[in-house]
Amino acid sequence: MKEKVVLAYSGGLDTTVIIPWLKENYDYDVVCVCIDVGQGSELEGLEERAKLSGAIKLYIEDVVDEFCDDYIMPCVQANAIYENKYLLGTAMARPIITKRLVEIARKEGAVAICHGATGKGNDQLRFEMGIKALAPDLKIIAPWRTWDLSSRDDEIKYCEDHDIYLPFSADNSYSRDRNLWHISHEGLELEDPSCAPNYNHLLVLSVTPEEAPDEAEELTIDFEKGVPKAVNGVQMKTSDIIRKLNELGGKHGIGICDIVENRVVGMKSRGVYETPGGTILMEAHQQLEELILDKETTNVKRQLAVQFADLVYSAKWFTPLREALQAFIESTQQYVTGTVHLKLYKGNIIRMGTTSPYSLYNESLASFTTGDLYDHHDASGFITLYGLSTKVRAMNMQKVQKEVK
């Protein structure tokens, strides 16, 4: 019997070419694995396509709920945003995809895992760091770093030479990655940072703010321990909440992000991300935390959010540090429970009020009217002590200046 290789399969041009290439260069039986993290219609027709290309088997694994609960939610609870803009849609999907690839490789008795990520991108790191962490004995094959194909035209010719029919358009278009959380776009005019994105051609989940309705739409999101539980009072599982918020956010032009980001491999890249539901969810969660977390916890959590986002982006999901940071973040979410009221209007998320039984906001304290819990006279002593070091330093400086004169 031939040895087996598990291929991370999307059904696009790259992974279609990789199937015969693996058979030709390694003499492996190819087991294709497509992990469903919410790609939608992209999954249609995959089985026929994989077998026509020479695969012996195709797995389509639905991990959408696990993706939402165990990978997206920790990032939401952390408020993890890479370089102030990117909500990590691709980055946090790769670990669960890799985990399932390893599980199927074990099940099939495969000796290797193959991926179609290029040698310039972040995904090669995300797949391979995950495989090294979960299955260090498995061989890793990355065709883009070894084969002599250098363009889409080369790939199309390879398919023609091997009598592989491509039942999809292989013309030049954006390079996209889609899951339930977002869709990313790279290539074409986006490769020139001086060019504006062609949004009429580009957008999939959203409309531009200009094309959004002229009337605003209000909604509420209920959270328990930092996790969303209901939209507009209707209880839903996390994945359905994201679907609902994607619908609302896309309708109102929410969450379109044009960014030049720093890749792990050292280069800058430009892309456009559509994350309508995720943008709403992140904003709502942060608003709720404003009411509940104390100053010191907020400050530390804000610093760790940057580190957590960088770990996820930089292929460090399967590390002790990510686990430790997540444990801290989860401890801060114990009382992040309440309801956030928002208004969506032409690309904007407008706060309409937030409530929580664990709110640290006290109207008696915050009001300009003197209340029972705060005596204005107490501020004098506080300011004297709070400013003592500043005053002592200034007095010493005055003394030194007089002695110099």
Side-chain angles (χ1 to χ4, degrees):
M1 293 178 63
K2 292 183 179 180
E3 292 182 323
K4 295 179 182 178
V5 59
V6 163
L7 170 63
Y9 182 71
S10 68
L13 179 59
D14 291 347
T15 53
T16 298
V17 173
I18 287 173
I19 295 171
W21 183 87
L22 284 170
K23 296 176 67 177
E24 184 176 287
N25 289 274
Y26 290 87
D27 196 28
Y28 284 146
D29 279 337
V30 181
V31 177
C32 289
V33 179
C34 178
I35 310 299
D36 180 4
V37 284
Q39 299 95 306
S41 61
E42 293 180 13
L43 300 175
E44 295 174 3
L46 287 191
E47 185 167 2
E48 179 185 8
R49 197 176 310 165
K51 290 183 177 178
L52 285 173
S53 303
I56 65 167
K57 187 183 296 187
L58 170 68
Y59 287 85
I60 297 180
E61 300 287 296
D62 183 347
V63 298
V64 171
D65 286 330
E66 183 182 355
F67 174 45
C68 293
D69 295 337
D70 297 342
Y71 294 81
I72 292 178
M73 281 305 105
C75 293
V76 171
Q77 291 178 317
N79 301 323
I81 303 172
Y82 183 70
E83 296 188 341
N84 297 315
K85 288 185 176 181
Y86 173 41
L87 301 188
L88 299 170
T90 298
M92 61 190 176
R94 294 309 185 229
I96 189 172
I97 292 172
T98 305
K99 174 174 169 283
R100 197 70 189 102
L101 288 172
V102 167
E103 291 169 352
I104 293 174
R106 295 301 195 203
K107 177 180 176 181
E108 287 288 334
V111 299
I113 293 177
C114 178
H115 66 78
T118 73
K120 287 186 176 182
N122 296 315
D123 279 346
Q124 58 182 337
L125 283 164
R126 292 166 184 158
F127 284 125
E128 295 185 33
M129 289 290 286
I131 295 168
K132 290 177 187 297
L134 300 175
D137 56 301
L138 290 179
K139 185 188 300 184
I140 300 171
I141 301 174
W144 270 105
R145 301 205 297 260
T146 59
W147 65 15
D148 57 0
L149 306 178
S150 59
S151 68
R152 292 178 68 85
D153 288 340
D154 287 346
E155 291 180 296
I156 292 168
K157 186 176 186 307
Y158 186 92
C159 288
E160 291 173 349
D161 291 344
H162 290 75
D163 296 322
I164 294 172
Y165 168 66
L166 297 174
F168 55 89
S169 173
D171 61 352
N172 262 347
S173 64
Y174 298 102
S175 174
R176 290 184 165 111
D177 178 75
R178 181 175 183 174
N179 59 47
L180 190 65
W181 186 248
H182 88 154
I183 186 167
S184 64
H185 312 267
E186 294 178 336
L188 299 186
E189 80 278 359
L190 300 180
E191 292 186 347
D192 183 350
S194 69
C195 292
N198 181 2
Y199 286 122
N200 291 331
H201 181 217
L202 181 149
L203 295 177
V204 173
L205 303 177
S206 315
V207 298
T208 62
E210 293 90 341
E211 294 176 337
D214 293 330
E215 297 178 356
E217 185 168 358
E218 296 185 23
L219 73 149
T220 61
I221 305 175
D222 298 332
F223 287 85
E224 290 181 14
K225 296 186 176 182
V227 177
K229 296 295 183 181
V231 175
N232 293 331
V234 180
Q235 294 278 328
M236 305 180 203
K237 62 182 180 179
T238 307
S239 58
D240 286 338
I241 286 176
I242 294 172
R243 289 185 183 97
K244 180 63 177 178
L245 294 179
N246 276 338
E247 175 190 334
L248 295 173
K251 173 183 174 183
H252 290 279
I254 305 294
I256 301 169
C257 170
D258 180 356
I259 179 176
V260 175
E261 69 194 58
N262 290 294
R263 284 182 178 172
V264 183
V265 294
M267 70 180 71
K268 288 186 181 289
S269 67
R270 194 243 190 134
V272 170
Y273 297 103
E274 296 177 70
T275 320
T279 302
I280 297 169
L281 203 54
M282 282 285 200
E283 177 65 24
H285 179 261
Q286 291 180 53
Q287 287 188 28
L288 186 57
E289 282 194 333
E290 286 179 11
L291 276 187
I292 295 160
L293 298 186
D294 61 274
K295 178 181 178 180
E296 288 78 11
T297 302
T298 297
N299 286 342
V300 172
K301 190 171 181 291
R302 185 179 294 119
Q303 296 169 39
L304 294 183
V306 175
Q307 189 171 9
F308 194 90
D310 193 63
L311 284 172
V312 176
Y313 184 88
S314 303
K316 298 291 185 69
W317 184 275
F318 298 109
T319 61
L321 180 55
R322 193 275 306 167
E323 293 173 0
L325 291 182
Q326 187 170 325
F328 168 80
I329 291 161
E330 287 175 355
S331 74
T332 69
Q333 301 300 292
Q334 183 177 0
Y335 300 109
V336 182
T337 295
T339 299
V340 181
H341 186 186
L342 304 167
K343 181 192 290 184
L344 309 180
Y345 181 68
K346 290 191 174 295
N348 295 289
I349 304 172
I350 303 163
R351 63 171 63 199
M352 299 292 287
T354 311
T355 60
S356 170
Y358 302 107
S359 172
L360 297 183
Y361 183 92
N362 186 292
E363 190 172 350
S364 177
L365 284 172
S367 172
F368 285 103
T369 304
T370 300
D372 296 334
L373 294 176
Y374 193 95
D375 188 331
H376 287 270
H377 298 92
D378 293 339
S380 297
F382 170 76
I383 294 171
T384 298
L385 295 176
Y386 189 72
L388 186 59
S389 62
T390 301
K391 183 175 181 180
V392 169
R393 181 180 183 278
M395 292 170 63
N396 286 340
M397 293 298 291
Q398 285 181 341
K399 180 181 178 181
V400 170
Q401 290 169 1
K402 286 179 181 179
E403 290 175 351
V404 171
K405 292 179 180 179

